[in-house]
Amino acid sequence: MAAIAEDAATMVSKFRDLMPVCPAGAGCYYTRRPMTSHRDNAGYKWARELEAAAIVANDGDRLWFAKQVLDGIPKPASNFEIDCLCLLRDGRGAGTRLVRLRNRSGETSRGLGLAGSLILDCHAFTNTQRFSQWCLEQGNFAWRGGLPEFQQLRMAVTSTMAWRIMDVQA
């Protein structure tokens, strides 16, 4: 039982690690690997028991926590968030993204665009290595996620940009 309490404390600690360093800071992108009965036997069993007890007691807070534990310990993939401003589409129909970065320490990107906005071109947004380099070129913005995290980020960014399109003439 002590090991399970230790696992719960680790979970709380990992979630705290995702929080901003300063109040003006952003969160970060992270991934989670769901617990399984095979890989995480004791912790999985404990979380399922907690979930069942919370349902019986109609305790929403405990139920939420049990579900968070079952979803797995968060692993940060970045130290920043991306504010998706708009997609700029040129006369050929090619698009570049206008974004702003904000890291956990409260620093924001200082691009040449409005309010420090940056151009995230399709070349920089094609793979993790290019994206990681692009992030570092913008300041204290680090990407350490792998391909699955990058693909999730790209889907989130493109979904957020939907209907935020500006046609620009060269």
Side-chain angles (χ1 to χ4, degrees), residues 34-129:
M35 289 182 123
T36 65
S37 59
H38 182 267
R39 188 182 62 242
D40 313 292
N41 189 20
Y44 182 84
K45 184 178 178 186
W46 174 81
R48 284 291 182 202
E49 289 171 1
L50 179 65
E51 180 183 46
I55 289 169
V56 169
N58 198 22
D59 185 340
D61 290 338
R62 267 197 307 168
L63 180 60
W64 175 85
F65 183 72
K67 289 184 182 298
Q68 296 306 308
V69 171
L70 288 166
D71 283 345
I73 293 175
K75 178 183 170 190
S78 75
N79 72 336
F80 64 87
E81 285 182 338
I82 298 177
D83 293 330
C84 302
L85 304 175
C86 67
L87 178 74
L88 303 173
R89 188 170 44 201
D90 66 17
R92 300 174 303 131
T96 56
R97 284 149 191 84
L98 188 63
V99 300
R100 190 173 37 240
L101 304 178
R102 191 174 62 251
N103 69 20
R104 296 178 60 222
S105 299
E107 297 172 316
T108 58
S109 56
R110 296 186 181 264
L112 300 176
L114 180 65
S117 58
L118 306 161
I119 297 290
L120 175 55
D121 64 10
C122 62
H123 181 74
F125 212 32
T126 55
N127 66 45
T128 58
Q129 186 175 4

Side-chain angles (χ1 to χ4, degrees), residues 13 63 145 166 170:
S13 171
L63 180 60
M166 293 180 62

